[in-house]
């Protein structure tokens, strides 16, 4: 019987989109159609924080100016806690203002797409950010396996014969 090679469907990656209410649904549909993405959308900080646990995001996609940095950090940390992996942030509508650019590393902003939303640059930035997070997870898994293997290879303490007893007076 000849074997047929069937291509495995790509795993859906969760993306949590934060955009203005007027455009968010169109963006959500466009992103979901473009790649193997499961996109959930929000417009406010309250909606975002409520959506994080159920969305299980691999990345946060945020329109510049909709969220203060504190909410962005809280959402990212909540996502990382609920998914046990790094969750990068992609901002569109840039460039970043200087005060946000200084916090870029702390907020885990991996990419900034300048100008208004356009599918191709945003999709490329998302894919790059998700690939970065996947590589971090693979590296951590390799380190754990190496640590476990090195623990198995450590020589155990040699068994010393019991000390001779001293005669009692």
């Amino acid at each position: 019987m000849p074997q047929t090679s069937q291509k495995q469907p790509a795993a859906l990656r969760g993306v949590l989109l934060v955009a203005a209410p007027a455009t968010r649904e169109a963006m959500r549909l466009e992103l979901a159609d473009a790649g193997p993405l499961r996109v959930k959308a929000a417009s406010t900080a309250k909606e975002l924080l409520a959506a994080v646990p159920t969305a299980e995001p691999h990345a946060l996609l945020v329109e510049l100016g909709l969220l203060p940095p504190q909410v962005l950090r809280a959402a990212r940390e909540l996502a990382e806690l609920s998914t046990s992996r790094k969750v990068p942030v992609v901002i569109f509508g840039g460039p970043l203002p200087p005060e946000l650019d200084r916090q870029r590393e702390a907020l885990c902003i991996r990419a900034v797409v300048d100008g208004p939303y356009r599918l191709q640059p945003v999709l490329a930035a998302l894919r790059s950010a998700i690939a970065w997070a996947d590589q971090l997870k693979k590296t951590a898994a390799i380190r754990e396996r190496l640590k476990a293997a090195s623990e198995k290879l450590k020589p155990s303490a040699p068994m010393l014969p019991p000390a001779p007893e001293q005669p009692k007076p």
Side-chain angles (χ1 to χ4, degrees):
M1 202 181 251
Q3 291 184 355
T4 59
S5 64
Q6 290 184 344
K7 196 173 185 180
Q8 292 289 333
L12 287 178
R13 302 304 182 112
V15 173
L16 195 46
L17 167 68
V18 180
T23 57
R24 77 175 188 183
E25 191 59 25
M27 287 180 198
R28 186 188 72 76
L29 291 173
E30 189 175 42
L31 283 166
D33 289 342
L37 300 174
R38 186 182 65 248
V39 184
K40 199 164 198 173
S43 291
T44 65
K46 187 176 181 179
E47 288 175 3
L48 171 65
L49 294 173
V52 166
T54 58
E56 297 179 352
H58 283 78
L60 298 176
L61 176 60
V62 180
E63 186 173 354
L64 185 63
L66 289 184
L67 296 175
Q70 303 88 331
V71 173
L72 187 56
R73 176 178 283 149
R76 183 188 52 79
E77 289 174 354
L78 180 60
E80 288 178 358
L81 285 172
S82 66
T83 61
S84 299
R85 66 175 165 262
K86 278 284 196 190
V87 177
V89 176
V90 175
I91 305 277
F92 67 93
L96 288 180
E99 62 274 1
L100 193 56
D101 196 35
R102 284 191 291 274
Q103 297 178 38
R104 189 176 185 145
E105 187 72 27
L107 295 172
C108 197
I109 298 174
R110 295 298 307 164
V112 178
V113 179
D114 290 344
Y117 170 85
R118 291 183 334 273
L119 177 64
Q120 291 308 320
V122 167
L123 197 56
L126 270 175
R127 287 181 177 155
S128 172
I130 290 171
W132 170 82
D134 287 347
Q135 187 60 46
L136 280 181
K137 190 164 183 150
K138 286 178 188 174
T139 302
I142 290 169
R143 283 189 179 129
E144 285 297 317
R145 287 195 301 268
L146 286 173
K147 183 179 175 186
S150 71
E151 289 294 321
K152 288 180 183 177
L153 295 175
K154 277 187 180 176
S156 58
M159 295 293 287
L160 298 175
E165 288 188 27
Q166 297 289 333
K168 293 185 181 180

